[in-house]
């Protein structure tokens, strides 16, 4: 299975990470890989895709910016077990509202699905409730990036983002299912 990279960037968010890692456990999948070391994953020591509620961990990414996390992810683009053009950050706000930020790095071939004021190869944030992260990744990004889903995500992002900056996956997905996306 290919994993999505998960970065914890705030000390106070650490207790929330096991909940995120376990969010798809009922389906028997563990789609996220916790990035702990800036040195990368060590041979013989696979990344952690699950933690017990009382597990502790250390990470080199406390206080890291999206540029730090993104550069690290992009440097792993040859790893066939990791998605490197999408990353997830867990920050101090995550603890308060149970959201995470999905960062998407559209490539040049994705440019037709971006607005005119957007450019490829820049990290774009989509803050979502952690229970909507996996559906967003699967339905919007892993399904071949069709024009209606990718276009809705980028071209109509503001329409589906509330005053708190949280993207409403359900509302956006409803529009797509009725044939009005893109």
């Amino acid at each position: 299975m290919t994993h999505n990279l998960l970065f914890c960037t705030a000390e106070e968010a650490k207790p929330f990470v096991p909940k995120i890692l376990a969010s798809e456990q009922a389906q028997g999948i563990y789609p996220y890989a916790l990035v702990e070391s800036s040195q990368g994953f060590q041979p013989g020591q696979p990344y952690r895709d699950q933690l017990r509620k009382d597990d502790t961990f250390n990470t080199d990414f406390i206080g890291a910016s999206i540029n730090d996390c993104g550069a690290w992810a992009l440097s792993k683009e040859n790893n066939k077990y990791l998605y490197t053009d999408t990353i997830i950050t867990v920050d101090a706000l995550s603890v308060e509202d149970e959201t995470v930020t999905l960062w998407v790095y559209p490539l040049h071939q994705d440019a037709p699905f971006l607005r005119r004021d957007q450019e490829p190869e820049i990290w774009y944030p989509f803050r979502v409730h952690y229970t909507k992260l996996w559906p967003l990744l699967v339905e919007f990004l892993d399904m071949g990036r069709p024009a209606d889903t990718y276009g809705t995500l980028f071209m109509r992002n503001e329409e589906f983002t509330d005053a708190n900056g949280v993207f409403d996956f359900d509302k956006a997905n409803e529009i797509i299912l009725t044939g009005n996306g893109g």
Side-chain angles (χ1 to χ4, degrees):
M1 172 178 210
T2 305
H3 286 76
N4 297 276
L5 298 168
L6 179 73
F7 295 86
C8 182
T9 61
E11 191 70 36
E12 59 267 40
K14 283 180 163 182
F16 187 52
V17 170
K19 191 172 186 176
I20 298 163
L21 292 174
S23 63
E24 302 306 317
Q25 181 176 330
Q27 296 180 49
I29 55 174
Y30 298 88
Y32 313 117
L34 177 61
V35 181
E36 297 176 79
S37 172
S38 60
Q39 301 302 309
F41 304 116
Q42 304 302 316
Q45 295 177 332
Y47 41 79
R48 294 206 262 180
D49 59 3
Q50 53 189 310
L51 293 170
R52 290 186 308 267
K53 186 177 179 179
D54 58 343
D55 281 348
T56 60
F57 64 92
N58 292 314
T59 177
D60 294 338
F61 292 92
I62 298 296
S65 69
I66 181 54
N67 290 332
D68 298 333
C69 298
W72 190 94
L74 292 172
S75 75
K76 307 299 181 217
E77 68 183 340
N78 291 327
N79 185 322
K80 63 183 178 181
Y81 299 107
L82 300 172
Y83 290 109
T84 59
D85 61 348
T86 57
I87 62 174
I88 302 128
T89 57
V90 184
D91 57 23
L93 184 57
S94 299
V95 179
E96 293 177 30
D97 64 5
E98 294 195 324
T99 60
V100 298
T101 302
L102 170 65
W103 295 87
V104 180
Y105 191 82
L107 303 173
H108 282 288
Q109 63 263 27
D110 301 319
F113 304 116
L114 302 175
R115 291 188 323 254
R116 292 178 193 249
D117 63 335
Q118 295 173 320
E119 297 180 30
E121 299 192 4
I122 294 175
W123 290 102
Y124 290 94
F126 299 91
R127 192 161 198 94
V128 295
H129 191 272
Y130 83 99
T131 60
K132 299 301 178 182
L133 178 60
W134 182 241
L136 179 60
L137 284 163
V138 173
E139 300 293 329
F140 277 38
L141 298 172
D142 288 345
M143 301 301 283
R145 298 182 174 168
D148 56 345
T149 59
Y150 212 65
T152 298
L153 190 60
F154 283 95
M155 292 184 178
R156 298 176 67 184
N157 182 23
E158 289 83 12
E159 184 180 338
F160 302 109
T161 302
D162 69 17
N164 296 321
V166 179
F167 183 79
D168 187 337
F169 169 80
D170 292 328
K171 184 177 175 184
N173 197 40
E174 183 179 321
I175 296 293
I176 290 166
L177 292 175
T178 60
N180 297 313

